């Protein structure tokens, strides 16, 4: 194992980790969007019930 090999492996690991973080961020955004739309739906139902 030469130093450049280790450097390449480290760079690849870094890229993989970054991609993992990005996909995790996307997952969080999707989850937040789901929560928001659920809250909106719930609010609409509540308003519907309140208005009768």
């Amino acid at each position: 194992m030469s130093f450049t090999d280790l450097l390449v492996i480290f760079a690849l690991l870094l890229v993989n980790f970054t991609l993992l973080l990005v996909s995790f961020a996307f997952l969080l955004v999707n989850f937040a969007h789901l929560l928001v739309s659920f809250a909106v739906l719930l609010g609409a139902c509540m308003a519907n019930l309140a208005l009768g």
Side-chain angles (χ1 to χ4, degrees), residues 10-40:
F10 185 68
L12 286 175
L13 277 176
L14 209 65
V15 167
N16 264 349
F17 188 65
T18 309
L19 285 176
L20 195 73
L21 276 180
V22 166
S23 49
F24 187 65
F26 267 112
L27 198 73
L28 275 180
V29 166
N30 265 351
F31 187 64
H33 184 252
L34 196 72
L35 278 181
V36 166
S37 41
F38 184 67
V40 166

Side-chain angles (χ1 to χ4, degrees), residues 2-9:
S2 65
F3 182 65
T4 42
D5 284 349
L6 286 175
L7 214 61
V8 166
I9 288 171

